[in-house]
């Protein structure tokens, strides 16, 4: 994010005030549209340290102007923060020679940026605590004094996620100052001056209703978001003096020590748990209502991060269910505030909703360019009309009014609103199907999606897991598979399954991670937690502080076990929760009486095996792991080691526990593929939409699921991409290994050139190494990789962005917090979760499977085709009316006021509203609808149609003037004073039919929309309007003759001739459109050299398929990075 400082220039400000008065406020409107111009006009560039305003260019290239604010801080207050922090805090102020210290900051997208003098830049205020270590947090456990807290609150600001709710007057002002409404106001004023009272009044009423609905919806959404974001409660803060104080959560600052009540709390901030245990419901973030157990943060020197220390972090907006005390008297757990306001998990969520990623879509860019083309035509029309009108005895004022009227005809004010009709209908249909959209413009983007990424667990597969079996491992090898863990003999394996978890009791029922629940319940053991008798329970287990006790029911004891040894309870005295970064979790247990202690560990097989003594790992480990993973089983490895009972086990470091373990065996769990997944994937593949799996699971398990759901067909092979990062001893390497290690026979051609169907599979560590050391291979790998396994949440987001760099329109479907970043980064994000975190995704589906994806794409294509049709119709409508007016100007007349009203409201507006009501096609077509408004078929068809329509109107006028009974106009008067007359009536009659039949001609259906006859309302309206227009031409009646100022032709044959001319005009346009649809205009491309596709992935695919290109990928060869080769050569 780039920032540039600007400072007020007094004389420029006064000059702008003067120009505002002289321009009647138009300069302020321009400044409202372009704040950067206001900044350049009133200020001069300066250093950021002296700036009154900052011009910010964000990562999307958009520019924002923010004001720099100042706040006085008491002199000497900074020294209270200690030597380590004082240096940084002094950087946040600018010291003036006067006797006061000022804090300089600005607010951008809810976040506070403070001035760091030594860094000569504004930085996020969170920079002050981003380097806190776990030991630093433990240093705050005595609390802050009132004075320290006040100083921090001045710098950090209040702990409030404040979503402003604007007043109706402010919303009205901003809405009216929209360029669309400004142009409408200009048009209405012009029409009122020109005495078009009926039409201008109608447009005013329509605009008023439109603005009212828009303001209601905007304010309703703002109030909803405000209520969701605002969280104010009372919390207990521990002060430095030792006293406890009940304060409002608004006053919390990073570093505050808070006591968490036993009866629960809705967390008002982000915090790190220092003492006690907390049972949290993080459904707001993850969408999973399963409670999560949080354990105390270890006192270590490592840097604290809520992502890496997730099992010790409490997040704002999540529900604290219960606590287990961390102090004497068991009065509740203790935590340190680490983030407040928008610098919390909930604040980040609200910020992403308030300031979403902008949508860059070609259709919208081309629409703006097309308006410029219409503006150029309007300019030509104004010159022609000026030349024609200057020949009549008209005042200059009347000439200017008539000339400006041409602009409002060529550039229809309703155009931007009309092309959103398709999205509105699609949004309504999606809502009926349980799919909710917070960003309607993204619906059109759905129509151009070319690649869809899917999470695995909970998205492609069922959420729950079932224990498939366990296999004990010894140095000599593995035992047979035991499918029922209750049949295991007493020993470490059975104890590990029963104890190695973070489950807790809620209303006497075990709750926690579904995988751990399945594992624990499969043993038949029971869970007990210490209550009031916790002191007695501790004494039963050697005086160690007991967290939970596991007991084996006597009825499940194996026949070969002695009852005393087998039924002895086991106590958990220390827990190290699962970490996705570490890929493991562990516990320390003590036997009854404290006579022995064992540490148990479970996690990914590769990680657990690496932490076990190698002599305890069976030789067949890799083979068995590959076998079970290739069957689609989720595999976990188990390990244990004895601990010294004389030491303080509750204070043991994790690093000491999780090393030199004894390998115990493997636990296999079955994760079933949802029955809808294979059908949906097959539908997408038939539609030539590429599908990709992005998961945190094992790569072999992911490949098996990909094969089960059809991403990888049975006759298609898999090649594993293995990349390694640089180490002290080795250089970065890249290798492509076929599945099962079998060689693939490739002659002179590579896999691409031989058109062999193969998919690449890569894991997270290889993906990171590929991005860092082999960027030249990254695009090629992305082109063919279908399975991305062991991907961390940030890697999922990075993958989406890398695919977008290849010009893919990327969709992403997921169900949890791990996918939120990727869902927001994708062009189309679909969340299957109803959590608050999921609403940052453009689309949210209530259905818990991926069947919503084809529906969303079909609706997107339907909406895009509708937008195309409506845009073309509005362009044709404006040109029909433009030509009618210019033709009638030429012969000294014009259309009547009510004729304009009839055309614009009765014909065009009604047709445009119901034209987009047709639903999507039933089948997802392999072809995607175009999004290029400036393509040859679009511009070519518009040019041909407009030419035919102009010829039709000229033919109607010439036929009229060639009749024997024709009476010439009075050329001494102009405009409506000549009404009614033959010329305007004939042109109006034919153009009325043109508006109706062009709605049929430009309406596209197959294959992305249902046929025209399915849109019953549109079809009925066409018939009604055609009947009305026919009656106006053949049997107008005295009432309509007077109201519409029509000339009463007495020659019935002439009237029939006008109707026949309209029918011929329709037939020609319809045939032309059919020929364009089958690609007649594409033959013109033969006259020009063929250009390569602008999409990088298409260009790259063409290169890879070129026989002249060397074979890729090079199988079973070790590649080195270019930087390593350069070092070797040097």
């Amino acid at each position: 994010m780039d920032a540039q400082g600007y400072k007020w220039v007094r004389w420029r400000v006064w000059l702008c005030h003067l120009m505002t008065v002289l321009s009647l406020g138009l300069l302020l409107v321009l400044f409202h549209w372009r704040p950067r111009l206001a900044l350049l006009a009133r200020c001069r560039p300066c250093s950021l340290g002296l700036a009154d305003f900052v011009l910010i260019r964000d990562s999307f290239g958009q520019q924002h102007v923010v004001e720099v604010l100042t706040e006085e801080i008491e002199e000497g207050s900074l020294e209270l923060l200690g030597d380590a922090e004082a240096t940084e805090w002094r950087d946040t102020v600018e010291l003036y020679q006067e006797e006061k210290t000022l804090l300089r900051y600005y607010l951008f997208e809810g976040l506070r940026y403070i001035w760091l003098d030594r860094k000569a830049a504004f930085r996020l205020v969170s920079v002050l605590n981003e380097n806190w270590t776990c030991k630093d947090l433990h240093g705050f456990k005595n609390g802050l004094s009132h004075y320290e807290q006040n100083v921090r609150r001045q710098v950090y600001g209040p702990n409030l996620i404040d979503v402003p709710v604007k007043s109706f007057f402010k919303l009205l002002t901003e809405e009216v100052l929209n360029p669309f409404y400004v142009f409408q106001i200009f048009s209405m004023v012009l029409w009122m001056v020109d005495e078009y009272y009926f039409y201008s009044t109608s447009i005013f009423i329509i605009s008023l209703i439109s603005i009212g609905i828009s303001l209601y919806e905007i304010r309703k959404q703002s109030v909803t978001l405000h209520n969701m974001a605002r969280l104010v409660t009372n919390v207990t803060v521990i002060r430095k003096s030792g006293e406890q104080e009940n304060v409002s959560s608004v006053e919390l600052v990073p570093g505050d020590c808070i006591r968490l009540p036993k009866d629960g709390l809705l967390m008002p901030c982000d915090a790190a748990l220092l003492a006690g245990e907390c049972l949290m419901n993080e459904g707001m973030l993850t969408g999973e209502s399963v409670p999560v157990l949080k354990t105390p943060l270890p006192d270590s020197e490592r840097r604290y991060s809520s992502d890496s220390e997730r099992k010790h972090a409490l997040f704002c907006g999540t529900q604290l269910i219960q606590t287990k005390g961390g102090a004497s008297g068991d009065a509740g757990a203790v935590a340190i505030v680490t983030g407040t306001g928008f610098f919390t998990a909930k604040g980040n969520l609200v910020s992403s909703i308030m300031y979403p990623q902008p949508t860059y879509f070609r259709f919208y860019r081309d629409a703006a360019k097309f308006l410029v083309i219409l503006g150029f035509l309007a300019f030509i029309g104004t010159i022609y009309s000026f030349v024609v009108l200057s020949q009549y005895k008209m005042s200059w004022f009347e000439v200017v009014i008539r000339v400006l009227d041409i602009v409002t005809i060529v550039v229809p004010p309703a155009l931007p609103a009309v092309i959103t009709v398709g999205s509105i209908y699609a949004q309504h249909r999606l809502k009926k199907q349980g799919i909710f959209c917070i960003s309607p413009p993204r619906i059109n983007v759905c129509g151009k999606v070319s690649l869809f990424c899917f999470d695995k667990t909970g998205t492609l597969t069922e959420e729950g897991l079932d224990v498939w079996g366990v296999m004990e491992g010894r140095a000599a090898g593995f035992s047979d598979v035991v499918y029922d863990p209750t049949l295991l003999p007493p020993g470490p394996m059975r104890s590990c399954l029963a104890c190695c978890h973070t489950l807790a009791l809620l209303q006497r029922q075990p709750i926690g991670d579904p995988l751990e629940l399945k594992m624990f319940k499969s043993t038949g053991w029971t869970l007990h937690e210490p209550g009031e008798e916790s002191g007695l329970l501790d004494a039963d287990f050697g005086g160690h502080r007991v967290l939970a006790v596991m007991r084996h029911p006597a009825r499940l004891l194996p026949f070969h076990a002695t009852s005393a040894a087998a039924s002895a309870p086991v106590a958990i005295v220390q827990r190290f929760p699962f970490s996705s970064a570490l890929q493991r979790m562990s516990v320390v247990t003590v036997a009854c009486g404290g006579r022995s202690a064992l540490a148990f560990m479970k996690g990914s097989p590769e990680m657990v095996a690496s932490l076990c003594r190698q002599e305890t790992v069976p030789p067949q480990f890799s083979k068995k792991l590959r076998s079970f993973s290739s069957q689609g089983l989720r595999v976990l490895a188990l390990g244990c080691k004895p601990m010294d009972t004389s030491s303080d086990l509750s204070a043991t470091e994790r690093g000491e526990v999780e090393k030199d373990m004894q390998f115990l065996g493997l636990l296999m769990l079955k994760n079933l593929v949802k029955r809808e997944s294979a059908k949906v994937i097959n539908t997408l593949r038939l539609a030539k939409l590429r599908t990709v799996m992005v998961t945190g699971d094992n790569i072999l398990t992911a490949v098996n699921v990909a094969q089960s759901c059809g991403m990888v067909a049975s006759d298609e092979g898999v090649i594993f991409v293995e990349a390694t990062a640089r180490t002290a001893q080795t250089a970065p390497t890249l290798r492509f290994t076929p599945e099962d290690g079998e060689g693939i026979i490739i002659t002179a051609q590579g896999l691409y050139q031989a058109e062999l169907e193969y998919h690449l599979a890569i894991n997270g560590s290889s993906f990171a190494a590929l991005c860092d050391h082999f960027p030249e291979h990254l695009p090629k790998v992305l082109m063919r990789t279908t399975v991305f396994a062991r991907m961390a949440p940030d890697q999922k987001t990075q993958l989406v962005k890398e695919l977008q760099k290849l010009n893919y329109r990327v969709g992403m479907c997921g169900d949890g917090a791990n996918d939120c970043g990727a869902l927001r980064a994708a062009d189309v994000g679909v969340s299957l979760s109803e959590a608050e975190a999921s609403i940052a995704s453009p689309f949210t589906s209530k259905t818990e499977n991926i069947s919503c994806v084809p529906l969303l794409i079909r609706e997107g294509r339907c909406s895009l085709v509708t937008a195309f049709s409506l845009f073309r119709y509005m362009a044709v409508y404006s040109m029909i009316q433009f030509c009618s007016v210019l033709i009638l100007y030429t012969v000294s007349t014009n259309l009547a006021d009510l004729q304009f009203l009839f055309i614009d409201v009765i014909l065009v507006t009604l047709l445009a509203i119901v034209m987009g009501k047709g639903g999507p096609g039933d089948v997802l077509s392999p072809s995607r609808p175009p999004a290029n408004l400036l393509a040859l078929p679009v511009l070519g068809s518009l040019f041909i149609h407009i030419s035919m329509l102009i010829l039709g109107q000229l033919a109607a006028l010439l036929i009229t003037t060639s009749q024997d009974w024709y009476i010439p106009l009075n050329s001494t008067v102009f405009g409506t004073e000549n009404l009614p007359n033959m010329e305007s009536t004939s042109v109006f009659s034919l153009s009325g039919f043109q508006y109706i039949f062009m709605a049929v001609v430009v309406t596209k259906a197959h294959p992305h929309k249902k046929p025209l006859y399915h849109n019953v309302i549109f079809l009925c309206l066409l018939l009604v309007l055609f009947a009305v227009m026919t009656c106006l031409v053949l049997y107008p009646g005295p009432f309509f003759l007077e109201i519409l100022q029509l000339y009463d032709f007495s020659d019935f044959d002439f009237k029939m001739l006008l109707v026949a001319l309209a029918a011929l005009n329709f037939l020609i346009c319809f045939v032309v459109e059919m020929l364009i649809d089958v690609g007649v205009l594409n033959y013109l491309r033969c006259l020009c050299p063929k250009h390569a596709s602008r999409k990088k992935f298409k260009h790259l695919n063409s290169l890879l398929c070129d026989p002249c290109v060397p074979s890729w990928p090079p199988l079973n060869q070790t590649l080195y990075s270019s930087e390593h080769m350069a070092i070797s050569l040097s």
Side-chain angles (χ1 to χ4, degrees), residues 189-239:
V189 171
L190 183 66
W191 295 329
M192 292 292 286
V193 171
D194 204 21
E195 299 180 356
Y196 291 167
Y197 299 121
F198 290 108
Y199 184 55
S200 56
T201 303
S202 301
I203 294 298
F204 175 76
I205 294 172
I206 293 172
S207 299
L208 203 61
I209 295 172
S210 175
I211 290 175
I213 294 173
S214 177
L215 294 187
Y216 172 77
E217 290 294 332
I218 292 173
R219 185 171 172 83
K220 181 182 175 183
Q221 291 176 6
S222 296
V223 170
T224 302
L225 187 59
H226 175 83
N227 294 336
M228 185 202 87
R230 190 176 180 85
L231 174 56
V232 179
T233 186
N234 290 328
V235 292
T236 302
V237 177
I238 300 174
R239 295 295 182 201

Side-chain angles (χ1 to χ4, degrees), residues 43-44 89 100 126 128 167 179 211 244 312 332 388 407 480-481 566 626 643 668 717 839 847 864 894-895 972 1010:
C43 306
R44 62 174 176 80
W89 280 67
K100 59 182 179 181
S126 59
L128 299 176
S167 65
I211 290 175
Q244 298 184 15
H312 316 295
V388 172
V407 178
D480 294 333
V481 176
R626 191 176 189 88
M643 301 292 292
M668 287 75 72
I839 63 176
T847 56
L864 184 57
N894 199 0
L895 295 172
T972 59
K1010 289 182 178 178

Side-chain angles (χ1 to χ4, degrees), residues 33 51 142 210 373 433 467 549 568 773 833 884 900 973 995 1104:
W33 292 344
N142 294 326
S210 175
I373 295 174
Q433 297 287 338
V467 173
V549 176
H773 303 291
S833 167
S884 299
F900 277 117
V973 294
Y995 296 119
L1104 290 172

